[in-house]
Amino acid sequence: MGVFKDDRDQKFIMVYHSYVNEIYQYAYLRTGMSKDLAEDITQDIFMDVYKGISGFKGLSSERTWIFKIARNKINDFYRKQYSPKFEVVEIDDYMTECLDDPTQDIQELMIKSFEREKVRACLNGLPEQYRIVLVLKYIDEKTVKEIATIVEKSPKAIESILQRAKNAFIKSYTSYMKRRDCNAKER
């Protein structure tokens, strides 16, 4: 028995060192860039990897197997943490109309500058439900139907929340840029 446990431990150590940074980044981006949450989820993911490593049959690559565990943990996290908090949050309709510019490509804006502090600050200023749907849609590239399944809402409700989330992000981003420009002029 001791030999098998030692083999499992050695295999786990190799897998852990190979993938921990990549899994942490994956969790970090999907938890609204929360260091604490990403660390907790990464730990949970690798606890499941440790428990299942002796049963891993190699039907897929190790990386695929680990990322499947990670995706499931992230989806569990979304369901447990945010589903009960989904509610309608009203946004000023006038601002929404002004900011609903069809030339504004929110996906491209998020992807190109996601790691920049201004986007992080804007996302962190949004309600949790908005952050989650934006991450699922534009980082994980989930469909509205997939998001609805993950957060246990109807696709119609997700479309509505997603539209409000995009508008709130644009409003936050515009406001952030104006504050930054004002601060730069004062210097």
Side-chain angles (χ1 to χ4, degrees):
M1 177 80 182
V3 173
F4 291 117
K5 186 178 182 328
D6 289 343
D7 287 346
R8 181 176 75 172
D9 289 352
Q10 288 299 318
K11 179 69 174 163
F12 173 76
I13 290 168
M14 286 175 33
V15 166
Y16 179 83
H17 287 296
S18 296
Y19 298 104
V20 68
N21 291 333
E22 195 174 2
I23 292 295
Y24 173 80
Q25 282 299 102
Y26 180 83
Y28 181 72
L29 288 173
R30 285 152 184 84
T31 56
M33 298 183 190
S34 168
K35 184 176 183 266
D36 293 337
L37 285 174
E39 288 172 357
D40 289 347
I41 290 175
T42 300
Q43 181 178 0
D44 288 347
I45 291 165
F46 279 101
M47 286 178 69
D48 282 2
V49 168
Y50 181 76
K51 290 175 192 172
I53 202 156
S54 56
F56 176 64
K57 306 248 187 287
L59 299 175
S60 64
S61 71
E62 282 178 348
R63 186 178 187 281
T64 300
W65 176 65
I66 292 167
F67 269 91
K68 183 172 183 183
I69 293 171
R71 271 191 305 279
N72 290 337
K73 282 290 181 195
I74 292 293
N75 287 343
D76 288 347
F77 167 75
Y78 290 154
R79 269 190 290 278
K80 289 175 188 170
Q81 298 298 317
Y82 298 126
S83 282
K85 296 178 185 175
F86 267 77
E87 58 190 47
V88 174
V89 176
E90 294 302 320
I91 297 178
D92 180 350
D93 286 335
Y94 174 74
M95 275 305 275
T96 300
E97 288 173 20
C98 291
L99 294 170
D100 195 13
D101 178 0
T103 63
Q104 184 86 305
D105 186 349
I106 190 79
Q107 181 173 4
E108 191 170 304
L109 178 64
M110 287 182 71
I111 290 171
K112 283 183 178 178
S113 60
F114 200 81
E115 293 192 13
R116 292 185 189 158
E117 185 59 35
K118 60 188 168 192
V119 173
R120 180 179 174 192
C122 293
L123 280 174
N124 285 337
L126 298 179
E128 290 174 328
Q129 64 187 25
Y130 290 176
R131 273 199 317 267
I132 291 304
V133 295
L134 289 173
V135 168
L136 285 170
K137 180 71 176 161
Y138 298 108
I139 301 302
D140 285 350
E141 298 179 349
K142 300 284 186 197
T143 65
V144 168
K145 187 176 179 183
E146 290 170 325
I147 296 169
T149 300
I150 290 168
V151 299
E152 299 173 340
K153 293 285 177 193
S154 73
K156 185 110 173 116
I158 295 304
E159 286 174 358
S160 178
I161 292 168
L162 190 56
Q163 185 60 45
R164 289 191 305 272
K166 288 192 290 187
N167 290 332
F169 178 83
I170 292 168
K171 180 180 178 182
S172 177
Y173 187 83
T174 303
S175 175
Y176 182 91
M177 294 305 289
K178 284 181 183 173
R179 283 192 312 269
R180 202 187 88 187
D181 289 345
C182 287
N183 290 340
K185 288 177 184 175
E186 289 176 5
R187 289 184 197 154

